[in-house]
Amino acid sequence: AEAVTLADECLVKAMNARNILFMKSMALYKLNKVKESVLIAEQLVKDANISPLESVMYNLAAGIMQANLKQYPKAAVYLEAARKG
């Protein structure tokens, strides 16, 4: 919970900082707030300015989160995108 609060404080100063959004997504996932975490991961995947490494990280995270929600077709799309880089 503290990690989410700290991420929110950082995001006030640096809106849409991808690394902070990713950490917030991971913190929410660890807190079992999977629906919230996957929304952030999906937002990150859609960013046109992400590097190939970021694409792998964000797609992998979104895929794992979707699988956790039993959204297997969506999970497969994200995991395939992660595999491609």
Side-chain angles (χ1 to χ4, degrees):
E2 186 176 340
V4 175
T5 302
L6 289 171
D8 285 337
E9 289 173 10
C10 291
L11 288 168
V12 167
K13 297 174 186 170
M15 293 180 89
N16 296 323
R18 290 189 303 265
N19 59 339
I20 297 169
L21 284 168
F22 184 65
M23 295 299 175
K24 179 178 179 179
S25 178
M26 294 293 96
L28 287 166
Y29 183 78
K30 288 290 200 176
L31 292 170
N32 214 23
K33 296 182 177 183
V34 183
K35 288 182 181 179
E36 290 177 62
S37 68
V38 78
L39 290 174
I40 295 170
E42 289 176 333
Q43 174 187 343
L44 290 167
V45 166
K46 292 176 187 172
D47 190 325
N49 297 315
I50 60 175
S51 71
L53 177 61
E54 287 174 310
S55 177
V56 170
M57 289 185 339
Y58 303 155
N59 277 293
L60 181 61
I64 291 168
M65 292 170 188
Q66 288 289 7
N68 184 280
L69 293 171
K70 299 190 181 350
Q71 298 295 319
Y72 301 118
K74 285 183 178 181
V77 171
Y78 287 117
L79 294 173
E80 181 62 24
R83 190 180 69 78
K84 289 179 181 176

